[in-house]
Amino acid sequence: MEKYKTVFWAGVSNSMEFRFDFLMNLIGTVFPILMQVFIWSAMYGDSGCDAMYGYTFPQMILYVVVAGAVAKFTDTGVEYMVNEDIHSGGIARYLVRPVNYVGFRLCDVVGNKFVSMISMVFVTLGALLLLFFAVDFVVTPAAVLLFLLSLALAAVLNFFIFFCLSTLAFWLTEIGNFFHAISVVIMVMSGGIFPVSVFGSTYESISRYIPLTYTINYPIQILSGTAGITEAVEVLCIQLIWIFLLAVLGRCSWHLGLKKYVAVGG
Amino acid sequence: MKERMHELKWYVRVAVHFGKLSLQSTMEYPLNFVSGVCVELAYMMIKLVYLYVVMSSGMKVGSLTSDMVIMFVGTYIFMTGVWMFLSGVNSIPEQVIKGDLDLLMTKPGSLQFLQTFGKYNFALAFPNVTVGTMLMAEGWKRCAIPATIGHIGVFVLYLAAGIVLTYSFGLMAALLVFWVTSLHAVSTLYAALWDYNNMPMELYPKVIRQIGTFLIPIFLVTNWSGMAILGRLDLLQLIWGIAVSVLAFILSRLMWNAGIRRYTSANG
Amino acid sequence: MMRIALLHCKMGCILMEGIVVKNLTRDFAYYEKEAGMKSSVKNLFHRTKQIRRALKDLSFEIQKGEMVGFLGPNGAGKTTTIKILSGILHPTSGEARVNGYVPWERKKEFKKRFAYVAGQKSQLWINLPAVDSFALNKSIYEISDAQYRQTLGELVELFGVQEFLKVQVRRLSLGERMKMEMIAALLHRPEVIFLDEPTIGLDFIAQNNIRQFLKDYNRQNGATMLVTSHDLKDIEELCQRTMVISHGDLVYDGTLEHIRSIFSKKRILNVQWNSPVPRADLVSFGTIKNWEPMKAAIEVDDAAVTQTIHRLFAAFSVGDIGIDAAPLEESIARLYEQGAQGAEYGKI
């Protein structure tokens, strides 16, 4: 256990080093969110409706404010690390050491995310406070707690989604750009920019059966109250199921890839 | 005069030569081209999602109908293509940090010209310019704007002013490498500002519109051509649109000279 | 004192050939950061600016057609000097003229008359055959078709790289690539050539090739050349004149041979024995530089050479004996050290 702990703390201090960059990134996150706020206030003002796409105005604002931050938070970048390890031959290091590669990467990511988890809590609280004063919008403490719980699971789930994808690097070279493109598509499909209900009821119903939406869309629904307590618990369970399934899948394809890697000789 | 003509011919010939070599380089690795196009298509998806929301709800953006918004989003996507095309500008920070301007500095002719028009990225530009142009044409058609020479002339004029602005702003953002250490932050911020053009400026509150027109005139990049032919600009605004691109170009040139003096060739 | 040729050109202006450097100084600013989190935070708000003086009041002159070597340890200021003379860096203070031009004004006429070649920098388009990059330089330098064909033909033949012209640059070996870099740099027939570590990282055959080429080019075209290297062999073979720079100071200007004579108050005796001689028995003869049972290298004072040989013959059964000068590297290393102390010893 000790070695995983070391990796975890190394991740923590590493992300502190770059906190100036992090601060700037935060501004880079706030700007697009602000733009969304303008769009939605224009839309709700123009249509005069109480609710659009199943969200009231404050709920929608909460959604877009938190979505940008959640998307940044759950984005682990593990695919690039794995790709690098495979193509630069770095995985040989892990093969000779008595660590489980998946476990190692997970701890590294969780360690890195630990610091941003704290700032996530502040971002969320700030957004809620702002909404409270601006539009008199109240969120129950239970929803906040369940949200933070599902947020942590979302990061792990996202890790496994991208870990599964990253094992493609065993079979394909020059995959960096592909990861880049796919991560943008996944972000949109997960609800990182707009709630999935905006894309029509067909996609919304499909989205219940794919893991993507459980990384952004549903966690935020828990917070904004468009999903009740029972639904929230359901989301948490589905997240766990997906994490389990993808962990198994990731492990299988990792070992399959490794076999090929060893056979070819790197 | 003859001297000037000679010089102009030199610029054109060398720029064309650079373009040819860039294209040849790209064609050596078609797969890289394809993957570059894929990345841009993915980013374009985000831009189109905004348009989709406006179209599907049929909302009005300020005084603009959703058909008009198509034209503005088209201009924005087109300009993004222009920005991505100028990889000579976008690679300045990396080259400065690595000290890779050295050899170019010893070549005859303006260094700014040789660097900023020395390399082009066709893969990133291609999807944006194509889709952007198509959207502009579609928006134009839907708005039933008569395609007279006058209208097209005005549109193209402000499009050109927008291209000059794209170049100048991109250059200034890249040149900050000579003064700022956290470059990643600068590019993130610039990209965030740029994305405000995803929607027509009429969407934003008055304060933001004023800031984006006068203080950091980012809105002029993509809004003026559409607004001009839709008759939404008064004379002063029309003049301002041209004046800003001239000023920005001059400013970027001054900043270039100041920056190059600080160049340390990765030695400092 | 003025060793530069003065020519009167048609317009009546004074046109100087060669290189003049006067009191050239260049500082680099950098920021210091101590290890640890605390100083990282401190640096966010206030960074202490430090100044490193890369060149201190450097002065020298090089005449047209001269081939001069620039020798010095890493960070001595060789590259900085060359970059200033090429117009890449501005000096902090001081003056320089290359063929009458101030380099950092980067005038077009100046840039058309010199070339800068650096062993670790490339101007070639890596994904295309070198000949494409050559054609680009033809456009940039406005070389006429006839001159381009002739010069390219000559250079390609000198280097013997005909068969590689149409091969993608990234597929060329390091040596071939460097030859292509040279061709690209020389297409416009520069009168002054600055070479910064031209043979770095190359194998021995390619190094020889390039040295031979530079010698030929200098002889045929009368080009002025300034070569930096930390490889002594480059300088030894190419340049009649060597400048040694250390910690931004010119510590020596003259021939390589002369460096040896300044410091070589020592000689090395290489002795072979007929029967093994233990190391301990030799200590009283001089400093033992090298020892094997059957042979030894002993350093002795110049004046004591004859006497020591006599003593050796008397004491042991000597098979063979040779007298060598102390290695040049050692003399130069001592020059470097003196630069570090700021002494101006050996300056001529």
Side-chain angles (χ1 to χ4, degrees), chain A residues 63-107:
Chain A
Y63 187 98
V64 294
V65 168
V66 179
V70 172
K72 272 243 152 57
F73 175 72
T74 54
D75 173 24
T76 59
V78 66
E79 66 275 20
Y80 295 104
M81 297 180 212
V82 175
N83 183 30
E84 168 92 18
D85 278 343
I86 292 173
H87 286 142
S88 70
I91 63 171
R93 274 206 317 262
Y94 305 104
L95 295 182
V96 296
R97 274 201 250 161
V99 289
N100 175 337
Y101 184 80
V102 189
F104 167 79
R105 277 281 164 240
L106 184 62
C107 289

Side-chain angles (χ1 to χ4, degrees), chain C residues 23-176:
Chain C
N23 306 109
L24 212 57
T25 299
R26 169 74 204 209
D27 296 335
F28 286 107
Y30 64 100
Y31 297 99
E32 247 177 19
K33 183 197 164 299
E34 281 156 44
M37 189 65 212
K38 214 166 146 188
S39 69
S40 292
V41 176
K42 219 172 73 194
N43 275 12
L44 271 183
F45 304 101
H46 178 73
R47 295 184 300 171
T48 23
K49 193 171 168 180
Q50 308 275 335
I51 301 281
R52 180 171 63 82
R53 181 149 283 190
L55 288 183
K56 300 171 193 157
D57 244 2
L58 194 67
S59 303
F60 60 82
E61 285 165 16
I62 294 173
Q63 283 180 297
K64 180 183 188 303
E66 246 190 309
M67 235 175 151
V68 178
F70 223 175
L71 211 55
N74 292 334
K78 295 171 293 182
T79 303
T80 304
T81 311
I82 283 229
K83 281 179 179 167
I84 289 176
L85 291 178
S86 308
I88 294 167
L89 295 178
H90 280 253
T92 306
S93 65
E95 284 175 53
R97 296 279 183 285
V98 175
N99 272 11
Y101 293 97
V102 177
W104 49 92
E105 284 175 359
R106 295 195 284 114
K107 291 236 169 69
K108 195 170 182 177
E109 305 84 60
F110 167 61
K111 289 195 277 189
K112 280 188 164 188
R113 299 172 70 169
F114 87 100
Y116 167 75
V117 180
Q120 284 164 319
K121 309 234 154 149
S122 173
Q123 61 168 310
L124 302 173
W125 288 58
I126 195 134
N127 292 337
L128 298 175
V131 71
D132 278 324
S133 299
F134 299 161
L136 178 67
N137 273 6
K138 174 181 180 293
S139 294
I140 292 177
Y141 285 96
E142 301 175 282
I143 305 166
S144 72
D145 288 337
Q147 201 207 325
Y148 174 72
R149 263 198 306 276
Q150 194 203 341
T151 314
L152 184 61
E154 276 174 32
L155 293 171
V156 166
E157 187 167 334
L158 264 172
F159 272 131
V161 285
Q162 183 65 47
E163 57 198 305
F164 302 121
L165 274 184
K166 289 179 180 146
V167 180
Q168 225 186 8
V169 171
R170 67 162 71 242
R171 298 188 193 288
L172 295 176
S173 73
L174 207 57
E176 288 153 4

